[in-house]
Amino acid sequence: MARVPYVDPEDLPEEHRDLVVSKLQGKPVNVYAALGNNPEVLAGTRAFLSSLWESSGLNDRERELVILLAAAENGCRYAWHQHVRIGGDAGVTREEMAAITDGDFDAFDDDEALLLRYAHAALGRQVDDAVHEEFVAARDDSTAVGVASLANGYTSLAGVIDALDVELEDGEEFVGWDPRE
């Protein structure tokens, strides 16, 4: 049981009702319904996450690789479960998802392996000058900011999900850390 109630959209001020609904799923999701206990924080979180999705400098597939990595490294079952489907829709294979959980970035082409190494370093607070310069040489400063922010933004979200003990939506079972199974 979550530590806070899941707020029904109808119980929120009108300007916040749509924020409980996932744009991708078209229905309320538990993480946003839990955040709905503080509508202003819900609004701010959704705006922040939207900026990460839309302005990180990554395409959909690359964005999902970073989010899946952040979910795996934070042990966030809820985010992992949600993004297995979203990542699959963006072209990430189940084999690639398993490689992410194994920390096997060699399973990816050079560009995506570099992206995952940079995101991994950002998540571990281990970005040094060499790692940063290699990434910026292949991409640019703006994308470095986007990747570091995306990875750590999902780390922040994982902490909130954990603190509130947000559960998977009713009727769903965890896909597992190896979604090939």
Side-chain angles (χ1 to χ4, degrees):
M1 188 81 172
R3 293 185 177 107
V4 296
Y6 297 126
V7 175
D8 186 289
E10 295 303 314
D11 294 334
L12 290 170
E14 189 169 340
E15 68 269 19
H16 293 101
R17 289 180 185 157
D18 289 344
L19 297 177
V20 175
V21 177
S22 165
K23 291 178 184 177
L24 296 175
Q25 297 179 44
K27 65 178 185 177
V29 292
N30 289 349
V31 65
Y32 299 147
L35 290 171
N37 285 280
N38 186 325
E40 293 301 322
V41 169
L42 170 63
T45 300
R46 289 296 306 264
F48 177 62
L49 293 174
S50 291
S51 73
L52 297 178
W53 273 52
E54 297 165 8
S55 303
S56 64
L58 303 176
N59 63 37
D60 291 350
R61 176 184 160 82
E62 293 169 331
R63 180 197 69 228
E64 289 305 314
L65 291 173
V66 172
I67 293 171
L68 285 163
L69 177 65
E73 291 199 6
N74 284 289
C76 186
R77 292 167 43 105
Y78 185 90
W80 177 263
H81 181 84
Q82 294 292 340
H83 286 274
V84 162
R85 183 188 55 75
I86 297 166
D89 290 346
V92 181
T93 68
R94 298 282 174 128
E95 290 74 20
E96 290 169 327
M97 292 175 195
I100 287 171
T101 61
D102 293 340
D104 179 14
F105 304 149
D106 293 334
F108 298 88
D109 68 29
D110 290 345
D111 190 49
E112 288 180 345
L114 175 61
L115 169 67
L116 288 166
R117 284 194 314 274
Y118 188 79
H120 174 74
L123 287 164
R125 296 181 178 187
Q126 297 176 347
V127 175
D128 58 21
D129 290 343
V131 169
H132 182 77
E133 288 170 13
E134 179 185 12
F135 185 78
V136 170
R139 298 289 182 112
D140 56 36
D141 289 329
S142 177
T143 306
V145 170
V147 171
S149 298
L150 178 65
N152 285 292
Y154 272 80
T155 293
S156 174
L157 184 62
V160 173
I161 289 167
D162 182 59
L164 302 179
D165 200 18
V166 176
E167 306 159 308
L168 298 178
E169 280 64 33
D170 286 341
E172 294 190 22
E173 288 187 37
F174 181 58
V175 294
W177 292 108
D178 185 344
R180 297 173 298 184
E181 299 172 351

